Amino acid sequence: MGAILLANAAIGTIQERKAEKVVDKLNQFQPPVCKAIRQGQHVELNAVELVPGDIVSLEAGDRVPADIRLINSWNMRANESTLTGESLPVEKNESSLPEDCALSERTNMLFMGTDVCGGKGIGIVVQTGMSTEMGHLMSLLKQQEKEVTPLQEKVTSISKKFVKGALIVGGIVFAIGMLRGIPFPQMISTSITLAASAIPEGLPVTITIALSAGIFRMAKKNALIRKLSSLETLGRTTVICTDKTGTLTKNEMTVKALSTADRAWTVTGDGYEPTGALEELAPEAAAAAAGLKNVGSYENPSAHPDLTRLLQICLLCNNSKLEQQEGQWMTKGDPTEGALLTLAAKNGLWLNDMTHWHRGHEIPFDSKTAKMSVVCKDVQAERECYLFSKGAVETILRHCNRYQKNGEILPLSEEQKQHIIQQNEKFSAAALRVLAFAYRPLDESIDNESIDDERELIYVGMTGMMDPPKPEVEQNIQEAFALGLKPVMITGDHPITAIAIAKQLGIYSDARSVVTGHELDRLSDEELSQIVDQVSIFARVTPEHKLRIVTALQKGGQIVAMTGDGVNDTPAIKQANVGIAMGRTGTEVTKETADMVLTEDHFGTILEGVKEGRTIIGNIRKALGCLLTGNLAEIIVTSVAVMVGLPIPLVPIQILLMNLLTDALPAMVLAVNPGQKTKQQKRTDFIDKDLYQKVITRGVLLGLGSLGLFAASLAVGTPMPIAQSVAFATLVAGQLIQTFSWRQEGSEETVRDWTKDRFLIGALCVSWLALLGALYIPPLAGFFHTASLPLKYWIPILGVAGSVSLLSKPILALISKKQAISALPANQTYAAA
Ligand code: ATP
């Protein structure tokens, strides 16, 4: 017996190790990548390919891939808490330092495994792998703590319950057996076997198998699950907080409209292809703030000074590239900036035309500030120097005190400000993402590194870019609602743009459901918790707000899945019940924090995860039901027999055979069932009152049926080994037949569906062969203490085994009717009865 239990435990451990290996393998699919410069070319390298001497460029959100000496930097900050324990970000720059510096004071170094949390920089790799400071630290760390997941907690609690129950039942049976005068050795082995049979030792293996199978299926659907239990949590998710750009929309920006102080244009063409033209709107339409109704071009736009300046800022205040690959135009870098390059190109302006401009100090884009600026100097003729800025309209306007109109610089009056704000709202209402452009001439002699604030800017104009929703997302949103999930859009964009997109997707219901970042700042945590359930759009929010939103939702009892890509999203991703990182746009830090990484950034994949999670919960539930019913039936057969004075119907080795093969195998097959693809599964828990009722009803019917046949066989003078074999065969056959009922649970599968399931058929065949082998192959029959059953015994055996599920249905229906009546208020109970 001990050997069989050990074998069972060993199978469990092996399966768990295998599953861990699977997860490790899946995680290996996303090694940190970094941007390096080799032979003058920008290349993307896997961190493991780096060698000392490589030049690497890093920006906010990147995980440092090696120990790197900075050679140039702009506002660079790094979070070195993993290495030094310092929780605040440290400033980094290229300045030289004294030789014997403490690790935390080496500000010109970036260390492997730390995160760049602001600015950008270029550096030279000095150490890699285990030779780095982090490698040294890792070699000192021998053990890694494992955190207990909610799923593990639940399984542990169920197992504990059953172990306690098994010990009590075993104890009672032992005591009664002793009182009845059954020999001590027989009672001790029977009670121990009984206790062992009640422990669902196959449960951890079954759950691990169910989750691993789900992880494999999700990998095929473009999602890598990094934690085994996350799929189960995803199945219980109630709210999906999702970014707009890239997840709901295509993240393919095209500028569709632009305006300056007194004029407006529409832009033709789609995507990043620089074919299309600017067509000016009639003055009255422009004055009405870009009504977008085209009346035809009437002036060469490139001659317009405001437009020329705007396009100049588009090109210079930009870190992206426009490239043609295999005949297709695409952007390398931020799609928003790519769209601006295409806009300039449509008007005949390319980055190559700007070689006389020297780009200096940059204040990088940050979704918190929603703007970016760069100092640029014209090294040709005039030697002019400017600060060029672009960003969200409200932000840029806040830094402007003048505006440009037809080349003339005028003070920015309140009236003009309102006019610009109205233009912004008009663009936003057409679902356009709006960016404003401004500049300020600088004194060439000032050290441009010292410029860290954009003030007294001159407003030039704005662009509105279209980022169309992904075609299938509208349907996905409807499906999310049908699954009982609430999608919440979280975006850095303007609320009007967010509403316009949300309307197209079916997320928006009414004005109350929109909250902006400013409003969030004014709400206390308690106030936010009170309203958060009604909100379906959070606009103009920063990543820091996301953490508050998740926490507020969780306080209200919601189970939250949250998407993110930037480094600042990490706290919210960590806090969410399921953190989801974007595989394409996500930073390494975000991916490493997340529970799930989407290789294709798509909302539909999250829904697939939810459905998969629910299928897994359903599978675990079915497998658990199947396992527990068998165990309960075995307990009933032995314990009732001992209590009512019958001989012991089952020999310990038979109980163990059932636990190892005929119970465990069907349960495992139930655990890996991929589920029905068409059906929208409801949210269920994997163990609840309903399941217990089914287990008890079926277990009692099967146990009593088997015991009844055993008693009847003895009553008609059947020899003991045959009567015991009848009880054994009834239990096994009953367990195998009811596997179908468990599989049918909560699904609408037909007989044809399960006949196609080769695993199910295979497992059932193996189990039946094991039963027949144990009965009819003499050496096995000797080992399992069974006897060959004459054919006539199979009629009652199959009759009892087959009727368990049939009989359980009316009994369960009666129980639920009674429960429904008792749940009614007292005055309605009589009428209902
Ligand atoms: P989400 O992805 O969460 O839906 P988002 O990515 O659109 O939101 P952000 O990228 O934080 O939000 O952008 C917020 C605002 O910042 C935009 O509406 C735009 O006005 C401005 N913005 C976006 N990208 C840039 C950029 N590269 N330079 C300057 N300003 C930008």
Side-chain angles (χ1 to χ4, degrees):
M1 182 186 85
I4 294 177
L5 280 178
L6 273 180
N8 225 353
I11 293 173
T13 324
I14 292 167
Q15 294 293 354
E16 273 172 44
R17 267 196 218 130
K18 269 191 186 162
E20 269 170 26
K21 274 188 189 163
V22 168
V23 177
D24 283 350
K25 227 175 181 179
L26 290 172
N27 286 338
Q28 279 168 17
F29 287 149
Q30 20 147 0
V33 274
C34 58
K35 288 165 228 120
I37 302 166
R38 278 190 179 169
Q39 291 160 346
Q41 297 287 318
H42 286 266
V43 282
E44 279 202 346
L45 285 184
N46 189 320
V48 292
E49 293 173 78
L50 284 180
V51 290
D54 267 331
I55 306 278
V56 175
S57 77
L58 290 148
E59 59 185 24
D62 285 343
R63 172 143 294 178
V64 181
D67 281 1
I68 292 167
R69 167 68 162 91
L70 279 172
I71 46 182
N72 214 342
S73 68
W74 297 269
N75 285 344
M76 197 164 211
R77 279 165 290 129
N79 181 347
E80 297 187 335
S81 54
T82 40
L83 194 64
T84 60
E86 169 61 59
S87 58
L88 292 175
V90 256
E91 298 282 338
K92 293 283 173 179
N93 54 53
E94 59 278 14
S95 59
S96 48
L97 293 167
E99 210 174 294
D100 295 323
C101 243
L103 192 70
S104 56
E105 289 163 18
R106 292 182 212 161
T107 50
N108 56 15
M109 284 291 298
L110 289 172
F111 298 105
M112 187 178 90
T114 61
D115 307 319
V116 180
C117 50
K120 46 197 229 170
I122 297 176
I124 184 161
V125 174
V126 287
Q127 296 288 3
T128 58
M130 291 307 280
S131 320
T132 59
E133 292 296 334
M134 188 61 86
H136 177 63
L137 189 72
M138 292 296 278
S139 63
L140 298 177
L141 291 173
K142 289 265 186 288
Q143 265 187 329
Q144 205 196 357
E145 242 182 76
K146 267 193 167 184
E147 43 179 287
V148 181
T149 64
L151 178 67
Q152 283 168 325
E153 257 175 35
K154 248 188 210 170
V155 174
T156 314
S157 113
I158 294 173
S159 303
K160 273 187 187 162
K161 260 188 214 163
F162 275 86
V163 170
K164 272 186 206 157
L167 291 177
I168 293 169
V169 173
I172 294 172
V173 169
F174 178 77
I176 296 175
M178 291 310 291
L179 288 176
R180 278 189 44 218
I182 300 174
F184 178 78
Q186 194 186 351
M187 264 336 290
I188 198 88
S189 66
T190 305
S191 324
I192 292 176
T193 315
L194 196 64
S197 73
I199 298 167
E201 67 278 343
L203 186 59
V205 188
T206 310
I207 292 176
T208 310
I209 290 177
L211 292 169
S212 315
I215 287 177
F216 272 119
R217 290 194 290 268
M218 283 311 294
K220 282 189 201 149
K221 291 173 187 164
N222 300 322
L224 303 179
I225 308 293
R226 301 186 69 245
K227 280 182 202 146
L228 210 52
S229 60
S230 313
L231 262 186
E232 190 259 350
T233 318
L234 204 52
R236 293 187 291 117
T237 297
T238 53
V239 177
I240 302 178
C241 294
T242 168
D243 284 336
K244 172 178 70 65
T245 313
T247 317
L248 301 176
T249 62
K250 289 184 175 173
N251 203 9
E252 277 171 22
M253 311 277 176
T254 314
V255 177
K256 287 284 175 191
L258 65 139
S259 67
T260 55
D262 59 343
R263 304 167 85 150
W265 293 262
T266 55
V267 188
T268 59
D270 279 316
Y272 298 106
E273 192 169 328
T275 48
L278 274 67
E279 293 176 350
E280 187 158 5
L281 296 171
E284 63 279 9
L292 301 188
K293 197 164 166 277
N294 179 26
V295 293
S297 162
Y298 69 85
E299 190 194 320
N300 175 12
S302 53
H304 192 279
D306 303 344
L307 183 63
T308 310
R309 179 65 82 199
L310 189 146
L311 295 177
Q312 193 178 45
I313 304 174
C314 283
L315 280 176
L316 291 168
C317 188
N318 198 313
N319 287 316
S320 300
K321 274 186 187 159
L322 200 60
E323 284 181 353
Q324 203 177 14
Q325 276 178 19
E326 294 161 7
Q328 183 107 19
W329 282 93
M330 50 183 63
T331 178
K332 252 196 164 173
D334 182 354
T336 304
E337 295 188 343
L340 299 177
L341 297 180
T342 307
L343 169 72
K346 281 178 184 171
N347 212 32
L349 272 178
W350 295 82
L351 211 51
N352 292 348
D353 305 326
M354 297 283 149
T355 44
H356 57 286
W357 282 95
H358 172 79
R359 249 186 71 152
H361 178 61
E362 176 184 327
I363 305 172
F365 172 71
D366 186 336
S367 35
K368 219 165 153 185
T369 57
K371 62 178 166 53
M372 165 191 174
S373 300
V374 59
V375 176
C376 291
K377 198 184 283 180
D378 186 349
V379 287
Q380 253 179 9
E382 303 100 353
R383 301 190 64 80
E384 290 169 346
C385 190
Y386 293 101
L387 178 72
F388 290 138
S389 301
K390 71 178 195 311
V393 178
E394 317 89 279
T395 316
I396 292 293
L397 268 191
R398 231 177 293 134
H399 294 83
C400 291
N401 62 354
R402 291 161 291 167
Y403 74 105
Q404 179 171 320
K405 186 175 171 185
N406 214 3
E408 214 183 321
I409 312 296
L410 303 165
L412 184 64
S413 64
E414 197 47 44
E415 194 191 346
Q416 185 61 27
K417 250 189 192 173
Q418 287 312 317
H419 175 60
I420 295 168
I421 289 169
Q422 273 171 21
Q423 269 185 334
N424 178 23
E425 287 174 2
K426 285 248 164 84
F427 277 15
S428 300
L432 300 179
R433 176 180 175 86
V434 193
L435 258 77
F437 300 80
Y439 71 102
R440 180 176 98 221
L442 292 175
D443 184 347
E444 202 199 327
S445 59
I446 337 174
D447 171 16
N448 65 42
E449 296 287 329
S450 66
I451 296 162
D452 57 0
D453 185 26
E454 302 93 338
R455 59 193 162 75
E456 293 169 13
L457 296 179
I458 304 163
Y459 172 83
V460 187
M462 66 175 84
T463 59
M465 49 185 83
M466 178 66 86
D467 177 18
K470 290 184 179 173
E472 326 75 23
V473 169
E474 190 184 349
Q475 202 189 330
N476 294 150
I477 297 287
Q478 281 171 14
E479 195 179 352
F481 282 121
L483 286 168
L485 296 162
K486 184 185 170 201
V488 175
M489 180 198 276
I490 301 185
T491 177
D493 252 339
H494 194 284
I496 300 178
T497 313
I499 290 173
I501 303 254
K503 272 185 184 165
Q504 291 175 14
L505 296 174
I507 296 180
Y508 179 76
S509 51
D510 66 78
R512 277 177 311 150
S513 63
V514 187
V515 168
T516 62
H518 286 303
E519 288 162 348
L520 260 181
D521 287 335
R522 274 183 263 124
L523 291 173
S524 69
D525 286 345
E526 277 65 38
E527 286 167 333
L528 178 60
S529 305
Q530 279 162 17
I531 61 146
V532 76
D533 277 337
Q534 287 117 53
V535 183
S536 46
I537 302 170
F538 288 95
R540 279 282 188 254
V541 291
T542 63
E544 280 71 17
H545 287 127
K546 286 186 173 182
L547 182 61
R548 284 191 67 202
I549 297 168
V550 178
T551 317
L553 283 165
Q554 286 173 330
K555 254 192 195 166
Q558 306 283 11
I559 297 174
V560 187
M562 161 78 82
T563 68
D565 44 18
V567 64
N568 298 347
D569 292 337
T570 321
I573 290 219
K574 225 176 190 171
Q575 175 68 31
N577 301 80
V578 183
I580 303 168
M582 298 298 149
R584 283 196 174 180
T585 52
T587 59
E588 293 306 323
V589 186
T590 325
K591 285 189 230 173
E592 274 178 38
T593 316
D595 303 299
M596 174 173 168
V597 181
L598 304 184
T599 46
E600 283 294 328
D601 304 350
H602 201 296
F603 185 74
T605 315
I606 306 173
L607 282 195
E608 286 300 329
V610 173
K611 284 197 266 179
E612 192 58 66
R614 290 187 186 178
T615 303
I616 286 169
I617 294 172
N619 286 352
I620 294 176
R621 184 184 165 87
K622 290 172 192 180
L624 193 62
C626 184
L627 275 177
L628 297 184
T629 307
N631 290 1
L632 183 63
E634 289 157 24
I635 294 170
I636 287 173
V637 170
T638 312
S639 51
V640 175
V642 173
M643 286 178 205
V644 298
L646 280 169
I648 294 173
L650 294 172
V651 179
I653 193 74
Q654 293 170 351
I655 296 181
L656 295 174
L657 175 70
M658 284 191 273
N659 279 359
L660 190 65
L661 206 65
T662 55
D663 287 5
L665 214 54
M668 281 177 200
V669 173
L670 291 174
V672 295
N673 181 18
Q676 273 180 301
K677 285 159 197 81
T678 48
K679 199 167 171 286
Q680 292 165 349
Q681 285 122 339
K682 284 202 192 85
R683 194 180 302 122
T684 46
D685 213 345
F686 71 78
I687 194 147
D688 58 15
K689 206 169 126 200
D690 196 33
L691 185 82
Y692 279 127
Q693 275 171 3
K694 277 186 186 145
V695 167
I696 292 171
T697 313
R698 290 179 186 172
V700 169
L701 282 175
L702 183 59
L704 292 183
S706 164
L707 188 64
L709 282 188
F710 172 71
S713 306
L714 287 181
V716 294
T718 311
M720 189 59 168
I722 294 202
Q724 280 182 326
S725 301
V726 168
F728 170 63
T730 312
L731 279 177
V732 175
Q735 180 73 336
L736 297 182
I737 292 173
Q738 59 132 356
T739 306
F740 295 109
S741 313
W742 284 112
R743 190 177 151 134
Q744 207 72 10
E745 278 277 296
S747 79
E748 287 156 13
E749 283 185 316
T750 58
V751 177
R752 262 190 78 198
D753 288 323
W754 61 253
T755 49
K756 279 190 209 150
D757 188 340
R758 278 175 293 148
F759 283 122
L760 179 73
I761 303 294
L764 290 180
C765 285
V766 170
S767 298
W768 276 109
L769 287 177
L771 170 64
L772 297 177
L775 290 174
Y776 294 106
I777 298 173
L780 290 180
F783 183 70
F784 289 111
H785 300 273
T786 55
S788 290
L789 283 181
L791 207 60
K792 63 173 181 177
Y793 287 101
W794 280 103
I795 298 164
I797 290 174
L798 293 178
V800 168
S803 59
V804 170
S805 301
L806 292 179
L807 284 176
S808 70
K809 275 185 192 155
I811 298 174
L812 286 167
L814 200 72
I815 295 174
S816 58
K817 194 178 166 194
K818 279 206 163 159
Q819 279 171 347
I821 292 172
S822 61
L824 286 175
N827 54 350
Q828 288 178 32
T829 311
Y830 176 72

